[in-house]
Amino acid sequence: MANIQWYPGHMNKAKNQIIDILELVDVVIEVVDARIPLSSRNPLIEKLAQKKQHLIVLNKADLADPVETKRWVTYFSNLGHEFVIALDAKHNSQIEQLVTLIKQATAAKTKKIMAKGALSPTIRAVCVGIPNCGKSTILNRLVGKNVAVVGDRPGVTKNQNWLKAKGNIQVLDTPGILWPKFDDQEVGYKLAACGAIKDSIFHADDVAIYLLDFLKTNYTRQLREFTRVTDLDAQSTPELLLQLTKQFGYRDDYDRFALILLQRFRKLKLGRISLDWVAHND
């Protein structure tokens, strides 16, 4: 399988802009993909947020395995992260709770400012995360209208914009950023499967085979229901991909079917699935 890397110039520029803006913000809202809460955490963001109040938002919880999502919230809490929330920004779930967490995270600073005479101090937050994790959708929910550009592909947000949100909060929208090198190529495959990397960057058949392998081991029932193949271990995973290519009507065009399989996974056609499991990281 080929290595996956994607770090275009605009990501490095965005990283530098975030570093420059950190002094102005009170809280960092780190958005991760609930299907891959660990693999979608940019290690750079963890480092940058060390001296700031820090929220972790597991977005797209409607796409993830709900049992695993609960475990991940507990996992991050046990690591010492005081403010962790799982939500579904697309359907406006838990947004009010997110506003409450932002206010809780900044309560001490707000109290100090109010003690000096300010009646309603503005809370400044920066929203950061990998591409296509739903940052802009979260911001639109916080603001109450569609002011941030959204899309179901990475690289939609190109610039940084301050947005006035509910509760006297100002939030900075930022482009999604990855990191220059994935030390573990499995992270690259998970990011690709979930749509955080442009489909043109990687070989779809490699990622589809990785996904099928994971599903065969961890989500056997869902894979059987989707493929209607009862004995998933009767052949190798590449052979299974070829069989499914023919079965779904794509003849020998397994590259095209591999991409179709990834798209169907992203659109819940295989059910609510998490590719990061807490048990695999204990």
Side-chain angles (χ1 to χ4, degrees), residues 1 35-36 39 65 68 72 186 189-190 193-194 206-223 232-233 237 240 261 265 270 272-281:
M1 288 187 174
R35 296 168 294 180
I36 48 172
S39 297
D65 183 331
E68 283 304 309
W72 279 113
E186 190 171 359
Y189 284 109
K190 290 178 180 180
C194 290
D206 283 348
V207 179
I209 288 170
Y210 169 81
L211 178 63
L212 286 172
D213 268 334
F214 186 90
L215 296 175
K216 282 167 68 173
T217 302
N218 300 288
Y219 291 95
T220 309
R221 177 183 59 79
Q222 290 94 319
L223 186 58
L232 294 168
D233 294 319
T237 306
L240 175 61
L261 177 64
F265 159 70
L270 283 77
R272 296 176 67 176
I273 289 167
S274 294
L275 299 183
D276 278 349
W277 280 27
V278 172
H280 297 166
N281 295 279

Side-chain angles (χ1 to χ4, degrees), residues 4 6 11 33 35-36 39-40 60 63 129-135 151-156 176-178 182 187-202 207 210-211 258-259 261-267 275:
I4 297 176
W6 187 44
M11 288 191 186
D33 189 320
R35 296 168 294 180
I36 48 172
S39 297
S40 59
K60 300 190 177 184
L63 304 180
I130 65 168
N132 200 28
C133 65
K135 298 184 304 300
D152 61 355
R153 64 191 187 279
V156 173
I177 54 172
L178 293 169
F182 306 135
V187 168
Y189 284 109
K190 290 178 180 180
L191 290 167
C194 290
I197 296 174
K198 284 186 177 179
D199 292 338
S200 59
I201 299 296
F202 58 85
V207 179
Y210 169 81
L211 178 63
L259 191 55
L261 177 64
L262 296 178
Q263 291 169 348
R264 293 193 179 183
F265 159 70
R266 296 167 190 166
K267 294 183 180 296
L275 299 183

Side-chain angles (χ1 to χ4, degrees), residues 8 13 99-100 103 110 144 155 187 208 256 266:
K13 179 182 177 182
V99 173
T100 299
K103 289 186 174 182
T110 299
V187 168
R256 185 181 174 197
R266 296 167 190 166

